């Protein structure tokens, strides 16, 4: 029996030890990245990691640098390491197509390339509308814009995960246990892999942050309200307007109190997991009216100031 392990984790240095230990149990590793011409040379040590990072749009550079160092060692061990993210690869093709002077009308309808363009265009358009709404003093309009973006984003995730599942299944090799890297938003990938996994393959799913939280005895929800809303749209879960508004309102507060940059935890292990758990627990204590009351007050604040302001509000409320 062949093993296909779907590993959900975020790009944080604190997850590297667990993720790399899990990778070691597999002969093939599929990364959630579009192919880069210099990637395999980097793995062989023929192209500097720092030079490659200069060409990439990397949100967490400290993580990626350490991650690539680990992958270089695994390449020496003979592991088959592949960048496999077709949606992003198609998106790069579209960008080059437009850079050459072509127009969207020249994309052939009915092709995957066109589907990717439409999904990305719709999500980006809704995101821009959300940013515009965030500049206006209209809380209800902002919530509607957030819901529109979450719906478009859900459709983008479904297409992205469907394409990646097809690519993963096509790339599987008999007798080669395979590790698949996935961000935590890609839950639909699990659904698609379950439907299409070949005979004599077993799908195993690991949730690294959840395992860390369990080990730390952090009990409670580890899904942010914004992600919960998007998942509801992905899996066609019925929400009434009040539920949608509450998730959106809490998401606005969550975005202000969560650390977005890489955290130096000092002596604290797993600082991001602690930070996310605390932020989720905090916003889940807020009602819709609470969020409406405090949103404008914390909007101009930096993260630690917003955290303190929300905590003071909850202390007064209690």
């Amino acid at each position: 029996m062949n093993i296909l392990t779907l590993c959900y984790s975020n790009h944080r240095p604190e997850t590297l030890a667990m993720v790399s230990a899990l990778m070691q149990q597999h002969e093939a590793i599929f990364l959630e990245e579009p192919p880069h011409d210099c990637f395999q040379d980097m793995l062989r040590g023929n192209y500097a990691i720092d030079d490659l990072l200069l060409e990439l749009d990397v949100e967490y550079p400290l993580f990626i640098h350490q991650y690539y160092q680990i992958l270089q060692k695994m390449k020496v061990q003979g592991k088959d390491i592949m960048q496999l993210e077709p949606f992003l690869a198609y998106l790069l093709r579209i960008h080059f197509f437009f850079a050459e002077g072509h127009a969207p009308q020249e994309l052939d309808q009915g092709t995957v390339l066109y589907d990717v363009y439409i999904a990305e265009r719709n999500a980006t358009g809704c995101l821009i509308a959300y940013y515009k709404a965030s500049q206006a003093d209209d809380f209800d309009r902002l919530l509607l814009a957030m819901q529109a973006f979450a719906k478009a984003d859900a459709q983008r995730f479904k297409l992205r995960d469907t394409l990646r599942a097809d690519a993963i299944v096509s790339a599987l090799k008999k007798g080669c246990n395979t590790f698949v890297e996935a961000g935590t938003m890609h839950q639909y990938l699990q659904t698609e892999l379950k439907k299409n996994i070949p005979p004599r393959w077993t799908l195993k799913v690991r949730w690294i942050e959840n395992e860390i939280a369990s080990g730390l005895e952090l009990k409670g929800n580890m899904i942010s309200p914004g992600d919960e809303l998007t998942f509801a749209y992905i899996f066609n879960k019925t929400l009434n307007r009040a539920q949608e508004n509450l998730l959106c309102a809490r998401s606005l507060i969550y975005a202000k109190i969560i650390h977005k940059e890489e955290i130096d935890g000092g002596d604290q292990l797993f600082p991001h997991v602690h930070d996310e758990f605390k932020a989720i627990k905090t916003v889940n204590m807020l009602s819709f009216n609470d969020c409406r009351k405090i949103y404008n007050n914390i909007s101009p604040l930096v993260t630690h100031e917003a955290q303190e302001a929300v905590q003071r509000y909850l202390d007064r409320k209690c």
Side-chain angles (χ1 to χ4, degrees):
M1 188 66 70
N2 304 286
I3 303 298
L4 174 61
T5 300
L6 177 58
C7 179
Y8 286 108
S9 67
N10 292 316
H11 281 187
R12 309 275 174 59
E14 65 198 57
T15 66
L16 278 171
M18 291 180 65
V19 170
S20 59
L22 186 56
M23 284 179 172
Q24 285 287 3
Q25 302 171 25
H26 301 77
E27 291 75 48
I29 298 168
F30 294 166
L31 303 179
E32 194 178 56
E33 303 174 2
H36 190 283
D37 291 340
C38 300
F39 180 75
Q40 293 298 329
D41 285 336
M42 180 275 296
L43 290 179
R44 299 185 191 96
N46 298 326
Y47 196 86
I49 292 175
D50 287 337
D51 290 341
L52 181 56
L53 292 182
L54 288 174
E55 303 179 35
L56 303 176
D57 182 18
V58 176
E59 186 174 4
Y60 299 109
L62 178 61
F63 168 87
I64 292 295
H65 195 282
Q66 295 177 11
Y67 194 34
Y68 281 1
Q69 288 178 320
I70 292 170
L71 292 175
Q72 285 178 329
K73 295 176 182 177
M74 292 188 177
K75 184 69 174 181
V76 173
Q77 296 171 5
K79 295 190 185 297
D80 183 14
I81 302 172
M82 180 188 304
Q83 293 172 302
L84 193 63
E85 224 308 346
F87 183 96
L88 297 183
Y90 280 120
L91 201 56
L92 286 172
R93 284 178 56 187
I94 292 169
H95 289 165
F96 287 132
F97 185 74
F98 291 162
E100 292 170 353
H102 297 284
Q105 298 89 326
E106 297 178 60
L107 291 170
D108 292 333
Q109 296 188 26
T111 64
V112 175
L113 204 64
Y114 183 79
D115 292 340
V116 169
Y117 164 70
I118 293 298
E120 188 68 18
R121 183 199 66 183
N122 291 346
T124 301
C126 288
L127 182 59
I128 292 171
Y130 166 73
Y131 287 148
K132 289 181 179 178
S134 67
Q135 301 302 311
D137 187 17
D138 189 335
F139 192 74
D140 295 319
R141 176 188 167 195
L142 183 56
L143 298 186
L144 289 174
M146 180 181 289
Q147 290 163 25
F149 170 68
K151 289 175 182 176
D153 203 26
Q155 293 307 308
R156 178 169 58 178
F157 274 121
K158 290 181 75 169
L159 176 59
R160 182 172 170 178
D161 290 349
T162 298
L163 293 175
R164 190 162 189 241
D166 291 342
I168 289 167
V169 170
S170 297
L172 293 176
K173 296 178 182 177
K174 184 179 178 181
C176 190
N177 292 332
T178 300
F179 172 100
V180 173
E181 173 194 45
T184 54
M185 285 302 299
H186 296 279
Q187 290 193 17
Y188 195 71
L189 179 60
Q190 178 182 353
T191 300
E192 287 295 298
L193 287 175
K194 281 182 178 179
K195 289 194 304 185
N196 298 303
I197 192 169
R200 300 195 62 78
W201 280 83
T202 298
L203 177 64
K204 295 185 177 181
V205 182
R206 298 285 297 272
W207 296 85
I208 299 302
E209 273 82 7
N210 286 3
E211 292 176 22
I212 291 172
S214 178
L216 296 171
E217 298 185 349
L218 299 176
K219 306 200 181 290
N221 186 11
M222 281 294 290
I223 302 176
S224 71
D227 290 351
E228 188 176 344
L229 179 69
T230 303
F231 290 144
Y233 293 147
I234 288 173
F235 293 103
N236 301 315
K237 179 182 177 181
T238 301
L239 297 176
N240 59 41
R241 180 52 59 87
Q243 290 172 316
E244 289 178 311
N245 286 342
L246 177 60
L247 289 173
C248 287
R250 286 175 172 172
S251 182
L252 290 172
I253 308 304
Y254 177 85
K256 290 299 302 181
I257 66 174
I258 190 73
H259 284 94
K260 302 172 185 65
E261 69 285 350
E262 289 175 308
I263 303 175
D264 179 4
D267 294 333
Q268 183 187 49
L269 294 175
F270 311 113
H272 280 284
V273 170
H274 279 286
D275 184 55
E276 290 172 12
F277 179 83
K278 182 179 179 181
I280 292 168
K281 184 177 180 180
T282 296
V283 297
N284 284 347
M285 296 170 66
L286 298 171
S287 69
F288 176 79
N289 287 331
D290 291 332
C291 296
R292 182 191 284 276
K293 287 178 183 177
I294 63 178
Y295 174 68
N296 286 336
N297 292 332
I298 68 171
S299 290
L301 304 181
V302 297
T303 302
H304 76 274
E305 293 172 337
Q307 290 173 340
E308 292 169 359
V310 173
Q311 190 57 55
R312 285 196 301 270
Y313 177 88
L314 286 172
D315 291 343
R316 290 195 301 269
K317 183 182 175 182
C318 294

